[in-house]
Amino acid sequence: MDIVRNPDGTLVVPVPPVRRHEAEDAVAPEAAEAAGPSDLATTRVLHPGEGGYDEALSEWDLQQNPDREPAVSTVSGRQEAMSLVHTVAASPGDPVAPAVDALADPEASGEALRHVLVGGVHSVEDFAAEVAEAEGGETLSAHETTKIIGQVLSELDS
């Protein structure tokens, strides 16, 4: 099952079924039958900032293009990505598309943002602090930064 990204930024991720031990089946076989099939995967909705969200967003992004090479961040791509995140954060109600369309090198910016995600929550926090230092303003939370990165990557892949 693939990860699904909703328009609000939430991710629907598969949750593997709980593994049962033979000892549990031997103790109460009728209870196991009553519980239903245990081999069906279920899903869970993750919100930006929630534990595991950054990793799931990185997996979702890789899912969009499984043949993509590992993310490599360049100086110019990272600078443009910081400016983009700042622009999107400054106008939270505005669509992301015009800001993405204004990029000089969308591919390099996307790679820089993917590189941030691959680093996990601490990488996102460091990136948010870097954005604030370079662009001015308050440091965004990891939650808000990750949400913006998800919006931008979704727009870049569309």
Side-chain angles (χ1 to χ4, degrees):
M1 173 180 226
D2 287 341
I3 296 171
V4 176
R5 185 178 182 280
N6 295 320
D8 66 354
T10 58
L11 298 171
V12 180
V13 297
V15 177
V18 177
R19 292 186 60 182
R20 299 184 57 86
H21 298 286
E22 290 179 28
E24 291 175 7
D25 291 336
V27 173
E30 59 279 343
E33 286 179 24
S38 62
D39 59 344
L40 297 177
T42 58
T43 60
R44 176 172 179 218
V45 176
L46 292 176
H47 298 272
E50 193 171 356
Y53 182 88
D54 292 347
E55 293 82 1
L57 184 59
S58 184
E59 283 183 48
W60 169 83
D61 183 57
L62 181 59
Q63 213 174 260
Q64 303 310 300
N65 187 352
D67 298 331
R68 180 185 297 133
E69 294 292 323
V72 177
S73 182
T74 63
V75 173
S76 62
R78 188 168 180 95
Q79 289 171 340
E80 196 169 41
M82 288 190 298
S83 179
L84 175 63
V85 167
H86 177 73
T87 299
V88 173
S91 304
D94 292 351
V96 177
V100 171
D101 290 342
L103 293 171
D105 190 351
E107 188 176 324
S109 298
E111 287 300 298
L113 293 174
R114 287 180 179 95
H115 192 263
V116 169
L117 283 181
V118 169
V121 70
H122 294 297
S123 177
V124 173
E125 290 170 340
D126 292 344
F127 180 74
E130 216 177 315
V131 170
E133 185 177 320
E135 301 291 326
E138 299 275 328
T139 301
L140 297 171
S141 68
H143 161 86
E144 186 62 27
T145 304
T146 302
K147 184 176 176 182
I148 291 170
I149 291 172
Q151 292 170 332
V152 169
L153 293 178
S154 182
E155 183 63 33
L156 285 170
D157 289 338
S158 63

